[in-house]
Amino acid sequence: MALRPYFAKMKFAHVWLKVLLMFLFLKKHQGTRLGNSSYETESCKSCSHLTLKVEFSSTVVEHEYIVAFTGYYTAKARNKFISTALKSRGIDDWKIVPRNNPASDYPSDFELIEIKTSQRDTVLTLEDHPNIKRVTPQRRVFRSLKFVDSEMPAPCNETKWSQKWQSSRPLRRTSLSLSSGFWHATGRHSSRRLLKAIPRQVAQTLQADVLWQLGYTGSNVKVAVFDTGLSEKHPHFKNVKERTNWTNEKTLDDGLGHGTFVAGVIASMRECQGFAPDSELHIYRVFTNNQVSYTSWFLDAFNYAILKKIDVLNLSIGGPDFMDHPFVDKVWELTANNVIMVSAIGNDGPLYGTLNNPADQMDVIGVGGIDFEDNIARFSSRGMTTWELPGGYGRMKPDIVTYGSGVRGSGLKGGCRSLSGTSVASPVVAGAVTLLVSTVQKRELVNPASMKQALIASARRLPGVNMFEQGHGKLDLLRAYQILNSYKPQASLSPSYVDLTECPYMWPYCSQPIYYGGMPTIVNVTILNGMGVTGRIVDKPDWQPYLPHNGDNIEVAFSYSPVLWPWSGYLAISISVAKKAASWEGIAQGHIMVTIASPEENEAKNGAEQFSIVKLPIKVKIIPTPPRSKRVLWDQYHNLRYPPGYFPRDNLRMKNDPLDWNGDHVHTNFRDMYQHLRSMGYFVEVLGAPFTCFDASQYGTLLLVDSEEEFFPEEISKLRRDVANGLSLVVFSDWYNTSVMRKVKFYDENTRQWWMPDTGGANIPALNDLLSVWSMSFSDGIYEGDFIMANHDMYYASGCSIAKFPEEGAVISHTLKDQGQEVLKQETSLVQNVPVLGMYQTPSEGGGRIVLYGDSNCLDDSHRQKDCFWLMDAVLQYTSYGVMPPSLSHSENRQKPPSGEGITPPERMEGNHLHRYSKVLETHLGDPKPRPLPNCPHLSWAKPVPLNETAPRYYARTL
């Protein structure tokens, strides 16, 4: 049966606990004591006002490679596999690099080797061996800390953390502590000026002392902290079970204080009290005092954590690379071995689509940050997950949020300090989880899924905040305790219902009603399987519409994980409107029933399965199909991003953050533009398939923004026909220049080769192929600068110019700097008059209109300096109704359209690797060619099982 967190029946044996809890809730937590430890702290009489700045860099270790095996083998067997593979090719210039750490005496699933010559051939040879899964370079991460004067004095005992990326491939996993004095208001205190958070005793704030007084203090729970170590005689800890060193330094101590702080939030016994002071603390020192770490250190330490049967593991590092296979695979293995992993979602907020890995994984508890006034931290990363783009839709993350600002934890030698960041929120949850595990009598019921189920079912929703900011809400320790101690193994869903009418929580789903003929709305639901590490969906989900609530006006289709592992899987739901409701308006409801099966854990019941049935309520608002002129189709299919390839930022000024990794989706880094279009009455749909897969007669405008992908020849032909038949086309481009692309190369850590971008900010050669039939093209010039267009302040950030445009069209030019010359020659930019905007009515009767603009940065939340939403309004007025604003049609900056004479159009960079990541290209005899055009997605609509009954109500717990 599904979790019923708000109406769960408590066993009679727990009724007295309810009474006690109600009594203790009323207590004031002033000077509460555990043993002889006081929770009050003395004020600091003399504090220096310093900011701790954190800088990261990452490099590869020359000649060293990690060889991953298909299973765990002894050192002798691993040596044999490698030597056999290399001996067959006559390669003998290699050796195994010794790893002197606690895991050395045990079987392992990887080996570290040094290869001096013929590296590429050697790697390929090794990967041909049947027992070798993968070969990747050894990586080194360097994290530097330095104290500088703060611009504003910090509260006593508080250290502010900020970070600056400087890396050959900078978006790697890093510690997630930083400073933050900026907060996103929930809407509940809109008239109140937000003040800087005052450091609090976080364990007492979350009422951990209620559980302490019931006798629960984390006993017999093994919690691992992966960080900078811990001093042996630190006065705050009484049960440090094991300290292990995975670095090349001969010390176990923490020379920096970050690991000490994290451990203190979890398990400190005095002063700044941790959640679980009696827990078994296992310290994994994976960073040196110089803040250096290696991939192999983490992999060895993870293996050792599995071997030691760790219960809870806190990981305050993260990065955007969800395709970092050795790391992701090892996280899956950890959770499959019943390790509850808690991880910070990242400090890249308030942008959307900025979740860090591994917190974005289904099997990991991903934690976001709030302040002590329950405001979402501005720095806290937002969802959705971007693994699933462009073909589908992201999952809901974070899972929960908790305090991450001004949180007090243990100082390096004693005393307390305060830090902020999602890496602070992460140990808050890890400490709470450790304490919760110690309250459960039947420990076999506790696993990564059941713990997450208890946390999200008990979380308290923050008003005015959407699901991609807060997940299920704020951590509620005592409610989680109640649920966990009446828990029976079952499956559940995240989110637990889908209500496309509930704003703002269900944003962006609630921001636009659905209608017949629109692209299906995709909701990606996570299945949590508390019954076992593996499971499956029995038969198929059932769609059961409520006839009294017009549920038969909805059509539903499913796709889902064939196997639920580890502890989780996905259920993707496509929702559309039935043809009979094309002119209908109203609310429609139904629910989806899913049966999950999982093998019985009891060996005596070999082959038997246990089952859990979960219900997912569905509620949508349907409106009559809007007119074609109001429907805008966003092309997601031709947007590419990191990972896996090197797709650069659209703004070349962003040198310390060069990779384009936010998804380029209307609900991630183009969120503000989407919100603006909705406020103007437009309906925005997302195309996740080739142009051959949509009915152009339904849409007024096709919107191509920052496209990096190539186009199928069939797409080009179809779009030409569509425009002739009335579809309008709007293209916001970016820079593309092969000389600059070579200039912004970097050394790739995976291939040990210099990487150049596979495209520029946009794929101009591909766009020019698309536009050629209308005698239009972009140039390879790169321009930037401030200017005024139609009385609006504008900023052009690394955009291109229009090289060719029909003479019947209208072209607007402005004076801009030649940024390309500056990048290439490091000289002051030349100033030129550059065509930036072109507007054209195609000549065929009833034909569409085409608009080109050379820069998309003004629409992009990730690096927008000045928005151009007014321009988007003007453009859509033109494409939808043929109305060109006089401020543009009669602009003094209007010029004769360029003919393209004397301008060489940009060509694709020779030797680029776009085909490796492209959905359009494939390699044919070394020459990339278009793949066969894929079939359009075909949804198999579920056969409805109508119910002639009233829909039940569902509730969310709010503060």
Side-chain angles (χ1 to χ4, degrees):
M1 76 187 224
L3 277 176
R4 293 179 292 184
Y6 316 122
F7 307 104
K9 295 181 179 179
M10 304 296 292
K11 294 181 179 179
F12 179 77
H14 290 282
V15 172
W16 69 273
L17 289 177
K18 279 185 164 182
V19 177
L20 181 59
L21 288 172
M22 292 175 64
F23 169 74
L24 291 171
F25 286 165
L26 301 177
K27 293 186 63 179
K28 293 183 179 180
H29 308 297
Q30 296 179 346
T32 308
R33 296 177 181 274
L34 178 65
N36 297 319
S37 301
S38 171
Y39 303 143
E40 297 181 351
T41 59
E42 298 180 358
S43 61
C44 178
K45 297 179 180 179
S46 177
C47 297
S48 59
H49 303 305
L50 297 177
T51 296
L52 185 58
K53 296 190 70 174
V54 188
E55 297 184 354
F56 299 94
S57 64
S58 60
T59 61
V60 295
V61 182
E62 191 175 9
H63 304 307
E64 289 188 8
Y65 286 84
I66 295 171
V67 180
F69 298 95
T70 55
Y72 282 78
Y73 300 99
T74 63
K76 182 177 180 180
R78 301 194 304 268
N79 190 327
K80 182 179 179 181
F81 293 151
I82 295 172
S83 60
T84 299
L86 297 181
K87 188 176 181 180
S88 65
R89 295 293 182 92
I91 300 171
D92 54 13
D93 193 8
W94 65 277
K95 68 177 181 179
I96 291 178
V97 178
R99 308 198 314 273
N100 299 317
N101 59 53
S104 301
D105 297 332
Y106 300 95
S108 177
D109 61 344
F110 79 96
E111 193 64 86
L112 183 63
I113 66 172
E114 180 181 294
I115 304 171
K116 289 294 187 182
T117 57
S118 305
Q119 295 178 23
R120 184 173 180 82
D121 292 340
T122 303
V123 168
L124 294 175
T125 298
L126 286 170
E127 290 181 337
D128 286 339
H129 194 280
N131 294 105
I132 294 176
K133 179 167 62 175
R134 189 182 296 111
V135 181
T136 56
Q138 164 85 315
R139 292 200 304 266
R140 184 181 78 160
V141 178
F142 179 75
R143 178 174 64 179
S144 64
L145 309 178
K146 63 179 180 180
F147 290 92
V148 297
D149 290 331
S150 299
E151 294 182 3
M152 295 181 62
C156 287
N157 247 350
E158 179 170 2
T159 303
K160 295 171 61 181
W161 288 57
S162 63
Q163 65 182 21
K164 177 182 178 183
W165 295 95
Q166 289 182 333
S167 170
S168 58
R169 192 168 185 174
L171 294 176
R172 287 294 178 190
R173 301 179 196 283
T174 62
S175 172
L176 294 171
S177 289
L178 82 168
S179 65
S180 178
F182 306 94
W183 303 97
H184 171 75
T186 63
R188 296 182 299 115
H189 309 296
S190 57
S191 62
R192 182 187 305 175
R193 185 172 66 89
L194 298 180
L195 303 178
K196 189 172 181 65
I198 300 172
R200 309 280 183 88
Q201 298 285 13
V202 68
Q204 289 91 320
T205 301
L206 289 170
Q207 298 181 300
D209 49 339
V210 173
L211 297 183
W212 297 339
Q213 293 187 35
L214 294 176
Y216 304 120
T217 55
S219 298
N220 300 316
V221 182
K222 300 178 181 179
V223 57
V225 176
F226 278 59
D227 217 287
T228 55
L230 178 67
S231 299
E232 181 179 10
K233 296 181 180 180
H234 196 288
H236 286 186
F237 305 97
K238 63 180 179 180
N239 195 16
V240 179
K241 195 71 173 181
E242 185 178 28
R243 297 184 305 148
T244 52
N245 178 35
W246 305 87
T247 75
N248 54 13
E249 293 181 338
K250 304 299 182 181
T251 181
L252 294 164
D253 293 344
D254 182 2
L256 294 165
H258 189 266
T260 303
F261 179 90
V262 170
V265 171
I266 296 172
S268 172
M269 63 177 287
R270 60 171 56 93
E271 295 185 280
C272 30
Q273 186 74 39
F275 284 84
D278 288 321
S279 61
E280 290 187 10
L281 199 55
H282 294 250
I283 303 299
Y284 289 70
R285 189 174 188 270
V286 291
F287 277 99
T288 67
N289 285 333
N290 291 327
Q291 288 296 275
V292 174
S293 188
Y294 291 84
T295 301
S296 60
W297 294 355
F298 269 99
L299 298 182
D300 267 331
F302 283 151
N303 282 342
Y304 193 68
I306 295 172
L307 194 69
K308 288 293 182 176
K309 300 187 183 301
I310 293 297
D311 297 306
V312 182
L313 191 154
N314 181 78
L315 200 61
S316 290
I317 65 168
D321 192 355
F322 53 77
M323 299 185 72
D324 183 2
H325 295 294
F327 194 93
V328 171
D329 289 352
K330 190 56 65 177
V331 170
W332 282 337
E333 187 178 349
L334 276 163
T335 58
N337 280 275
N338 218 35
V339 178
I340 301 171
M341 179 175 283
V342 182
S343 187
I345 63 163
N347 296 328
D348 296 295
L351 293 175
Y352 282 69
T354 53
L355 298 171
N356 281 215
N357 181 265
D360 62 350
Q361 294 184 208
M362 290 184 284
D363 52 320
V364 175
I365 299 171
V367 184
I370 60 175
D371 70 357
F372 284 102
E373 291 186 349
D374 293 338
N375 299 304
I376 298 293
R378 181 177 174 83
F379 60 71
S380 189
S381 290
R382 272 69 165 170
M384 57 183 164
T385 63
T386 57
W387 295 42
E388 299 82 4
L389 298 178
Y393 198 83
R395 288 172 284 108
M396 175 181 176
K397 281 279 183 170
D399 294 305
I400 57 172
V401 293
T402 194
Y403 302 123
S405 169
V407 172
R408 295 174 65 79
S410 299
L412 183 61
K413 301 296 183 181
C416 301
R417 66 192 303 193
S418 297
L419 293 180
S420 299
T422 53
S423 74
V424 175
S426 181
V428 169
V429 172
V433 167
T434 303
L435 179 58
L436 288 169
V437 173
S438 71
T439 70
V440 180
Q441 302 302 314
K442 296 181 179 180
R443 289 286 180 89
E444 66 274 11
L445 296 180
V446 179
N447 57 56
S450 64
M451 181 56 71
K452 184 187 283 194
Q453 287 172 328
L455 292 177
I456 66 178
S458 61
R460 291 186 179 271
R461 178 127 4 126
L462 301 176
V465 182
N466 72 53
M467 60 195 292
F468 291 139
E469 292 178 305
Q470 66 168 309
H472 290 266
K474 175 187 174 183
L475 171 67
D476 186 333
L477 178 63
L478 296 182
R479 180 59 181 163
Y481 160 73
Q482 290 177 310
I483 291 176
L484 199 59
N485 278 273
S486 61
Y487 179 81
K488 293 182 179 179
Q490 60 198 265
S492 65
L493 303 175
S494 173
S496 58
Y497 66 92
V498 175
D499 185 349
L500 306 193
T501 71
E502 183 187 4
C503 270
Y505 181 70
M506 280 281 172
W507 186 93
Y509 299 111
C510 65
S511 64
Q512 181 169 291
I514 63 175
Y515 42 84
Y516 175 70
M519 293 289 171
T521 296
I522 302 174
V523 183
N524 199 340
V525 176
T526 297
I527 303 171
L528 297 172
N529 178 22
M531 298 181 292
V533 66
T534 62
R536 63 184 178 89
I537 292 180
V538 178
D539 297 326
K540 294 181 179 179
D542 287 329
W543 164 236
Q544 300 181 351
Y546 295 118
L547 295 182
H549 297 279
N550 309 298
D552 54 337
N553 287 332
I554 308 174
E555 294 182 327
V556 174
F558 311 106
S559 63
Y560 47 85
S561 302
V563 177
L564 308 180
W565 184 92
W567 309 104
S568 57
Y570 71 87
L571 172 63
I573 303 161
S574 298
I575 305 172
S576 193
V577 176
K579 185 176 182 179
K580 68 176 184 175
S583 301
W584 183 78
E585 182 170 358
I587 302 297
Q589 292 181 254
H591 68 242
I592 296 167
M593 299 295 290
V594 186
T595 301
I596 307 298
S598 197
E600 286 277 5
E601 296 293 329
N602 193 335
E603 294 182 2
K605 299 181 180 180
N606 189 26
E609 288 185 312
Q610 49 188 329
F611 297 90
S612 180
I613 300 175
V614 291
K615 178 190 292 187
L616 183 72
I618 303 288
K619 183 178 181 181
V620 303
K621 180 180 181 181
I622 299 174
I623 62 170
T625 303
R628 179 184 188 184
S629 60
K630 283 292 186 180
R631 294 177 63 180
V632 176
L633 187 61
W634 171 275
D635 173 32
Q636 187 68 35
Y637 187 78
H638 297 93
N639 287 336
L640 300 174
R641 52 75 197 270
Y642 171 86
Y646 177 12
F647 299 102
R649 286 286 192 185
D650 306 321
N651 186 347
L652 289 171
R653 292 292 177 194
M654 300 182 68
K655 297 178 181 179
N656 290 332
D657 192 5
L659 300 178
D660 190 355
W661 65 284
N662 300 134
D664 285 349
H665 192 280
V666 289
H667 298 153
T668 58
N669 52 309
F670 289 95
R671 174 180 183 270
D672 289 351
M673 181 209 69
Y674 166 79
Q675 292 284 78
H676 178 80
L677 292 180
R678 289 293 300 126
S679 71
M680 299 302 294
Y682 292 99
F683 295 85
V684 184
E685 301 174 38
V686 177
L687 177 65
F691 293 162
T692 51
C693 298
F694 78 95
D695 179 2
S697 67
Q698 298 286 317
Y699 301 94
T701 303
L702 174 65
L703 192 55
L704 273 65
V705 178
D706 187 22
S707 301
E708 294 93 356
E709 180 63 278
E710 294 284 335
F711 298 92
F712 289 103
E714 296 89 341
E715 290 185 285
I716 297 175
S717 299
K718 178 179 182 291
L719 186 60
R720 291 170 180 171
R721 294 193 302 270
D722 290 341
V723 171
N725 292 323
L727 177 71
S728 290
L729 174 66
V730 174
V731 180
F732 278 74
S733 185
D734 279 301
W735 67 273
Y736 187 103
N737 182 288
T738 55
S739 297
V740 172
M741 290 162 68
R742 293 185 179 94
K743 184 76 173 181
V744 296
K745 65 182 178 180
F746 70 84
Y747 192 72
D748 178 60
E749 299 177 359
N750 293 320
T751 63
R752 294 203 170 198
Q753 296 176 350
W754 283 100
W755 271 29
M756 287 177 285
D758 295 307
T759 69
N763 190 340
I764 296 298
L767 286 172
N768 285 348
D769 288 346
L770 190 72
L771 298 168
S772 61
V773 69
W774 299 291
S775 298
M776 300 178 184
S777 66
F778 290 106
S779 77
D780 66 354
I782 306 177
Y783 304 96
E784 70 166 342
D786 294 288
F787 61 95
I788 296 176
M789 179 186 287
N791 297 318
H792 292 271
D793 290 334
M794 300 283 285
Y795 177 69
Y796 216 66
S798 305
C800 65
S801 65
I802 297 174
K804 186 178 181 181
F805 207 73
E807 61 181 16
E808 300 85 2
V811 170
I812 306 296
S813 65
H814 283 278
T815 301
L816 300 171
K817 294 185 294 185
D818 187 337
Q819 187 182 18
Q821 176 182 292
E822 180 181 345
V823 172
L824 293 173
K825 299 182 179 180
Q826 301 297 313
E827 296 177 356
T828 303
S829 301
L830 292 175
V831 177
Q832 300 181 28
N833 195 43
V834 177
V836 296
L837 174 67
M839 308 174 80
Y840 173 67
Q841 167 71 63
T842 58
S844 58
E845 183 178 355
R849 303 169 185 90
I850 301 175
V851 177
L852 307 184
Y853 189 68
D855 179 27
S856 74
N857 287 281
C858 58
L859 301 175
D860 191 336
D861 302 344
S862 63
H863 36 67
R864 183 179 66 245
Q865 294 187 29
K866 298 175 182 177
D867 73 63
C868 58
F869 298 158
W870 72 270
L871 178 60
M872 180 64 78
D873 293 342
V875 163
L876 291 179
Q877 279 288 107
Y878 176 68
T879 60
S880 299
Y881 308 108
V883 178
M884 186 184 299
S887 59
L888 293 177
S889 61
H890 297 86
S891 170
E892 62 181 13
N893 295 103
R894 184 168 175 173
Q895 70 164 56
K896 180 181 179 181
S899 64
E901 292 184 9
I903 300 177
T904 303
E907 297 182 356
R908 292 167 178 83
M909 187 165 65
E910 185 177 351
N912 76 76
H913 299 132
L914 182 61
H915 61 277
R916 295 180 180 176
Y917 323 109
S918 171
K919 301 178 291 293
V920 176
L921 300 178
E922 64 181 355
T923 302
H924 179 71
L925 299 177
D927 185 20
K929 299 288 185 182
R931 302 173 186 268
L933 182 70
N935 294 326
C936 294
H938 174 71
L939 294 176
S940 179
W941 301 108
K943 184 178 180 180
V945 183
L947 299 175
N948 193 21
E949 60 185 64
T950 303
R953 292 189 177 189
Y954 46 88
Y955 301 91
R957 299 170 69 247
T958 59
L959 291 176

